[in-house]
Structure formats: structure tokens, C-alpha cells
């Protein structure tokens, strides 16, 4: 399965892309990624972007084969106070 966010500012973001573990390796993710990309472009999107886990070599290789290029890495941080907690 794959989802696509609404067209905003000439851009559609695809997320998530997911294949159940038992169904992987059959080309489903490649097919659905290609189709949602095609649909986004047909709907007038000038750019189609997606977020992926940089550590997932399999999905990243798939996205490269589909024409996606890496642009930036993002990190999330969770800061907590080192003092007493209520």
C-alpha cells in the first residue's frame, strides 16, 4: 500500500509505502510506488517526494530505480530535563 498527501505548492508527498512482511520481494512496493507517482504527476504535481528510512537499503534501492534521488537526511531528537520529574 502507499498513500499520497494532497497537492500543496505544486508538490505531492508519498507516505507511507508498506508491504506486509510475508508479501515482500514480489514487486508490490515497486508497482504501487510507480502508480502513486504517476497519479500525482497526472494530477498536476510538479514534484513528487517521499520520506524513507536511510538505513533501509532495500526500499532506498527501489526508490532510486523509480527515479527518486536523495536530497536530505533528517534526525529527530527527544530532549528531556535531567532534573527531577514530577
Amino acid at each position: 500500500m502507499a498513500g499520497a498527501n494532497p497537492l500543496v505548492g505544486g508538490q505531492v508527498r508519498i507516505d507511507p509505502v508498506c508491504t506486509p512482511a510475508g508479501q515482500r520481494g514480489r514487486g508490490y512496493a515497486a508497482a504501487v510506488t510507480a502508480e502513486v507517482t504517476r497519479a500525482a504527476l497526472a494530477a498536476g504535481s510538479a514534484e513528487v517526494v517521499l520520506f524513507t528510512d536511510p538505513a533501509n537499503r532495500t526500499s532506498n534501492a527501489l526508490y532510486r530505480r523509480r527515479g527518486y534521488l536523495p536530497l536530505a537526511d533528517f534526525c529527530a531528537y527527544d530532549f528531556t530535563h535531567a532534573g527531577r520529574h514530577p
Side-chain angles (χ1 to χ4, degrees):
M1 70 135 205
N5 289 281
L7 178 66
V8 175
Q11 185 179 81
V12 168
R13 185 181 72 205
I14 297 173
D15 67 21
V17 176
C18 181
T19 303
Q23 302 298 313
R24 293 180 183 155
R26 299 179 185 187
Y28 297 136
V32 75
T33 301
E35 181 55 25
V36 294
T37 301
R38 186 208 59 76
L41 294 170
S45 180
E47 297 176 328
V48 182
V49 299
L50 57 84
F51 284 96
T52 184
D53 178 357
N56 188 331
R57 293 182 192 191
T58 302
S59 65
N60 291 323
L62 163 67
Y63 300 139
R64 289 281 220 148
R65 288 192 305 273
R66 293 284 163 226
Y68 287 90
L69 301 173
L71 297 177
D73 286 339
F74 294 89
C75 294
Y77 296 95
D78 183 17
F79 295 99
T80 57
H81 187 271
R84 292 185 187 172
H85 297 284

